[in-house]
Amino acid sequence: MSGDATGSASRALPDVVRVRRALISCFDKTGLVELGRALVAHGVELVSTGSTAATLRGAGIAVAEVSEVTGFPECLDGRVKTLHPAVHAGILADRRRDAHLAELAGLGIDTIDLVVGNLYPFGRTVAAGAAEDEVVEMIDVGGPTMLRAAAKNHAAVTVLVDPAEHALVLDELERLGGTTLATRRRLATTAFRHTAAYDVAIADWFGRDEDPPAWLGIAASRSAVLRYGENPHQVAATYDGPALLAGGASGVASARQLGGKELSYNNLLDADAAWGMVVDLDDAAVVIVKHTNPAGLAVADDLATAYERALEGDPVSAFGGIVATNRRLDGPTARRIVEVFTEVVLAPGYDDDALEALATRPNLRVLELPDADRPSGSRVVRSVGGGLLLQGADDGPEPFDTWRVVTRVAPDAAALADLRLAWIAAKHTKSNAIVLARDGRLVGVGAGQMSRVDSVRLAVERSGGRHEGSVLASDAFFPFRDGPDAAAAAGVRAIVQPGGSVRDEEVIAAADAHGIAMLLTDRRHFRH
């Protein structure tokens, strides 16, 4: 036999390792009694801690207390239970090393072949708004140490964190008399991911007052493997949103799919853009999105009317689009939606007749997002070559009451309502963004152009002749007066823009020369 780094002789272990002794310490006791009974039936000796031992014993299952193994009582209100050599040497001893086994024998310590545990509910305690001392008390020390020790020594030790995996271990015990190396490695992976996510949550909580944070920890579980990414040669998957990014916001990652085929990467990006638009609006709203930009957006007293008006914004681009609404979807609106080829429908809820209508299109993906509140305080992370970018999300309500009229002409109430709608749409349109609106609906969109005046011209062109009497929103300031000049030539009657250009006076003078109203928001909405 070859020697290892310590010089002790080593031997190969069999693929299947028997489980003779198990240590169980669980805060969440889901499936605990059933597991304990099954292990005892397989001749496994159980060792456990206070409340876990009491639960097992209360079900008539024979179990030894950890204090009987260590010869030392649990202390400090349970802060110290398993932190003892009699426990961790039994877990960590490398069964391939003669020296380790001899040392255990000399110390009178028995090996532990199975560790079953889960951790204090730190995240749930934080989410409940608990006081700081209570949160700190939910920082588990012995639990992660025990799980990491077992996972490290997976060559001989099985570790169980997830109750859903109890059946896997019990099946192998029944069929094989022990667990396979492949299973132990898989369960060790689960355990290390579990403790890593736990530590990330704790570190984020301690650094919660840093903005931006000095350290970025992201722990997210894969929720689905997608067919492909933006293009067929790119792999893709979805992951549950980590707390660092969620900010209490609802969104497509938490949506429930009620029908249709599986979602694609592009579907999810477009759905996210659509949802961001409609939750920014208070009135009943419908948006139709293509390639993350609004092809149509309208508000009305009812959804059916809002959908018709949104569809009129760009009926050609609506083909293959994403439809989202901030109200429960009713039957009449749903029946109209299915007349146009649509990829995804999102709503906070659905009437029965709406679901019946949507089901006539079996490939139509139907998503339900029951919480339509605006997100607030969330963060956005994007990757660049060799690193990450983080920023606060461009979310929250718009401060409409701070807008300033800077021209001799002020907008009337109807124009002001359209300006607000256009401004919300511009916020969610790729820069350089110009949006035209009239009578509670978008009539033209110029998105993603390199020149702002080109975006104005594109929005006018896309309006199909409906630009006369519209209002215009620009996501950033006009660097020259050519943009307002082109807007005025198209019959635009009011403009809203952030301001802040060195040529603001020239731009405002152009609006005055054309007799149109201009408002400044002092807030930019670039969207790259």
Side-chain angles (χ1 to χ4, degrees):
M1 292 290 193
S2 61
D4 60 14
T6 65
S8 60
S10 64
R11 63 173 60 83
L13 291 176
D15 180 70
V16 176
V17 174
R18 289 188 60 191
V19 176
R20 297 180 175 87
R21 194 160 176 254
L23 172 60
I24 307 177
S25 181
C26 300
F27 187 94
D28 179 1
K29 296 174 177 57
T30 301
L32 173 64
V33 170
E34 295 79 4
L35 177 67
R37 285 199 180 112
L39 290 174
V40 169
H42 285 286
V44 179
E45 175 191 349
L46 304 186
V47 178
S48 190
T49 55
S51 64
T52 303
T55 299
L56 293 169
R57 196 173 291 116
I61 301 170
V63 59
E65 292 270 4
V66 164
S67 57
E68 298 174 40
V69 174
T70 63
F72 202 92
E74 295 184 12
C75 60
L76 304 179
D77 296 320
R79 282 192 171 193
V80 180
K81 300 173 185 175
T82 59
L83 296 170
H84 193 280
V87 171
H88 284 280
I91 298 172
L92 280 167
D94 189 339
R95 320 300 163 79
R96 299 166 299 186
R97 299 185 185 184
D98 293 335
H100 280 204
L101 297 177
E103 193 169 357
L104 284 188
L107 294 170
I109 296 175
D110 292 332
T111 57
I112 294 172
D113 312 301
L114 169 65
V115 170
V116 183
N118 51 63
L119 309 178
Y120 295 161
F122 178 85
R124 195 164 70 232
T125 304
V126 171
E132 181 156 337
D133 282 352
E134 186 179 349
V135 173
V136 169
E137 207 58 39
M138 287 296 104
I139 299 174
D140 204 331
V141 176
T145 304
M146 187 174 66
L147 296 178
R148 286 174 57 83
K152 173 178 179 175
N153 204 23
H154 66 275
V157 179
T158 306
V159 59
L160 267 177
V161 172
D162 186 351
E165 293 180 319
H166 290 180
L168 172 63
V169 171
L170 293 177
D171 175 67
E172 289 199 350
L173 291 181
E174 181 69 31
R175 291 186 300 105
L176 306 172
T179 59
T180 62
L181 178 59
T183 292
R184 294 193 300 276
R185 185 177 287 122
R186 167 182 162 180
L187 296 175
T189 302
T190 299
F192 279 126
R193 287 172 176 167
H194 186 66
T195 58
Y198 193 77
D199 284 339
V200 165
I202 294 169
D204 283 345
W205 181 77
F206 271 96
R208 62 194 181 278
D209 295 329
E210 299 175 349
D211 194 16
W215 177 85
L216 184 61
I218 298 177
S221 298
R222 190 180 69 199
S223 53
V225 176
L226 304 175
R227 287 183 298 164
Y228 51 80
E230 287 181 289
N231 300 291
H233 63 277
Q234 295 170 268
V235 298
T238 58
Y239 293 80
D240 294 333
L244 172 74
L245 309 183
S250 64
V252 295
S254 58
R256 188 163 65 105
Q257 187 168 354
L258 304 181
K261 61 184 181 180
E262 64 179 318
L263 290 155
S264 73
Y265 183 93
N266 292 334
N267 289 156
L268 288 164
L269 286 178
D270 287 336
D272 185 60
W275 188 245
M277 289 183 219
V278 292
V279 298
D280 252 355
L281 295 165
D282 295 320
D283 296 328
V286 174
V287 64
I288 304 171
V289 162
K290 285 292 288 290
H291 304 299
T292 73
N293 289 310
L297 173 63
V299 294
D301 293 333
D302 61 90
L303 289 185
T305 302
Y307 176 75
E308 290 295 344
R309 299 172 80 180
L311 184 61
E312 290 171 359
D314 191 343
V316 174
S317 296
F319 182 85
I322 311 291
V323 175
T325 175
N326 59 0
R327 297 289 192 276
R328 187 178 182 87
L329 189 63
D330 56 76
T333 309
R335 285 189 288 274
R336 184 67 180 96
I337 289 173
V338 297
E339 294 177 10
V340 179
F341 172 59
T342 301
E343 293 275 7
V344 181
V345 174
L346 306 88
Y350 295 86
D351 291 345
D352 289 342
D353 55 345
L355 290 175
E356 183 179 342
L358 297 174
T360 63
R361 300 293 185 187
N363 289 334
L364 175 60
R365 303 157 179 92
V366 180
L367 299 183
E368 182 180 51
L369 291 84
D371 181 4
D373 291 339
R374 290 186 181 96
S376 180
S378 54
R379 290 168 172 153
V380 176
V381 172
R382 297 175 68 175
S383 63
V384 294
L388 299 173
L389 297 175
L390 179 145
Q391 65 173 344
D394 188 7
D395 56 20
E398 286 296 316
F400 294 123
D401 57 348
T402 66
W403 287 11
R404 297 179 289 122
V405 178
V406 291
T407 48
R408 291 189 292 268
V409 177
D412 57 27
L416 184 59
D418 285 340
L419 285 167
R420 290 178 173 179
L421 177 66
W423 180 248
I424 294 297
K427 170 183 174 180
H428 294 278
T429 302
K430 293 292 186 183
S431 299
N432 286 320
I434 295 292
V435 174
L436 303 178
R438 191 181 69 188
D439 300 328
R441 61 183 173 182
L442 302 194
V443 295
V445 177
Q449 301 305 299
M450 285 66 76
S451 163
R452 191 156 299 275
V453 68
D454 282 345
S455 289
V456 174
R457 292 167 180 151
L458 179 60
V460 171
E461 178 185 338
R462 300 289 295 172
S463 73
R466 291 168 299 163
H467 47 78
E468 186 70 37
S470 65
V471 303
L472 180 151
S474 173
D475 67 337
F477 63 66
F478 285 99
F480 305 99
R481 63 170 291 165
D482 54 359
D485 286 340
V492 168
R493 61 179 178 139
I495 294 174
V496 61
Q497 56 120 339
S501 168
V502 295
R503 296 183 177 85
D504 270 354
E505 291 185 8
E506 177 184 331
V507 170
I508 294 167
D512 274 331
H514 296 297
I516 61 178
M518 179 172 285
L519 293 83
L520 301 186
T521 68
D522 299 318
R523 172 181 279 201
R524 191 181 73 183
H525 282 306
F526 269 164
R527 192 173 186 85
H528 281 63

